Amino acid sequence: MSGATISVIIAIVGVGGTLASAVITQILTQRAELQRLEREERIRLAEQRTADDQRRIDQLRNCYVQMNAHDRHYRDAMLTYAYALKSGSAETDAAEVTSARRTQRDTRAEAQLIASDAVLDLESRVNAQLTIAYRRLMEATGESDSSTRQARLKQVIDLLDSIIPQLGHVRALMRVEVTASQELPDWYNPEIGLAQNQLADY
């Protein structure tokens, strides 16, 4: 093989190597850019999911704060009214019960679109007792016999007192769902509350 031929071969190999190097560099650059874009997209999606999750938690927290506050206010308004009836002066407290009942009902209607099934299930037991207490309270209001009225008011007060532990269990579950607590407390029991046949006794 002549020197000229060897020179041509070397030149071809050199040019080919240079071209191949440029192509390989371009491919590697494109691959690195694609990986960078994919990584940025994953980060963007993760940040968007985090923001969406936070918006959901904020919405849930607001809902739960309102539901907890209005359940308690409704219960407290009825209890105040029951004690006022027992003492014989209750005219001004009746309007507060009506207002608290309406607000609690509106809050529950909103919560039914937002709250988890677990919270709704547990809170519905509280609401069932509040409803029974309200009905019994209204019956006591219209009772003309003093001793019967006092007995009915005692039932209402006992029922309203029994709601406090249930409200605590609902609140504990709410706190976990809005990440205010990491886990449910040891005393949490989703079966807390009166059975339906016990509720009927009231």
Side-chain angles (χ1 to χ4, degrees):
M1 186 177 294
S2 70
T5 304
I6 292 173
S7 295
V8 169
I9 292 173
I10 291 173
I12 290 172
V13 170
V15 170
T18 301
L19 292 175
S21 173
V23 170
I24 291 171
T25 300
Q26 184 177 1
I27 291 172
L28 292 176
T29 301
Q30 288 175 342
R31 183 178 298 169
E33 179 66 11
L34 183 60
Q35 289 173 344
R36 184 186 66 79
L37 292 173
E38 288 173 349
R39 186 169 53 253
E40 288 177 357
E41 180 65 8
R42 283 195 302 271
I43 292 169
R44 188 189 67 78
L45 290 174
E47 288 173 347
Q48 183 177 339
R49 278 193 301 272
T50 300
D52 290 345
D53 290 345
Q54 188 59 51
R55 273 192 297 274
R56 166 78 176 140
I57 287 172
D58 290 344
Q59 181 184 37
L60 203 57
R61 181 180 291 113
N62 183 59
C63 169
Y64 286 172
V65 165
Q66 295 299 315
M67 188 159 61
N68 180 56
H70 293 151
D71 277 351
R72 289 183 67 87
H73 179 63
Y74 182 28
R75 179 245 175 218
D76 293 348
M78 283 195 286
L79 192 62
T80 300
Y81 186 45
Y83 277 116
L85 282 174
K86 280 178 73 71
S87 68
S89 60
E91 289 304 318
T92 57
D93 298 308
E96 182 65 25
V97 172
T98 301
S99 174
R101 182 172 185 254
R102 185 179 304 111
T103 302
Q104 189 256 8
R105 186 181 57 226
D106 293 345
T107 301
R108 289 192 82 245
E110 180 183 350
Q112 288 168 348
L113 302 177
I114 299 171
S116 71
D117 290 343
V119 165
L120 287 176
D121 178 61
L122 203 55
E123 192 276 340
S124 69
R125 300 177 202 182
V126 170
N127 187 63
Q129 288 185 255
L130 289 170
T131 300
I132 291 169
Y134 178 79
R135 185 171 66 242
R136 296 292 188 245
L137 185 57
M138 294 303 103
E139 290 172 357
T141 302
E143 182 57 59
S144 57
D145 181 69
S146 178
S147 61
T148 303
R149 173 187 265 201
Q150 292 296 320
R152 287 191 175 182
L153 288 171
K154 182 182 183 311
Q155 287 181 336
V156 170
I157 290 167
D158 289 346
L159 178 55
L160 290 171
D161 285 343
S162 75
I163 292 173
I164 292 296
Q166 285 181 280
L167 286 170
H169 284 75
V170 176
R171 192 168 48 253
L173 184 56
M174 289 175 173
R175 286 177 55 81
V176 169
E177 289 193 7
V178 300
T179 67
S181 295
Q182 294 302 312
E183 58 186 28
L184 291 166
D186 293 338
W187 49 261
Y188 176 81
N189 176 8
E191 300 307 317
I192 188 74
L194 299 176
Q196 289 303 312
N197 60 342
Q198 291 175 297
L199 287 173
D201 292 341
Y202 283 98

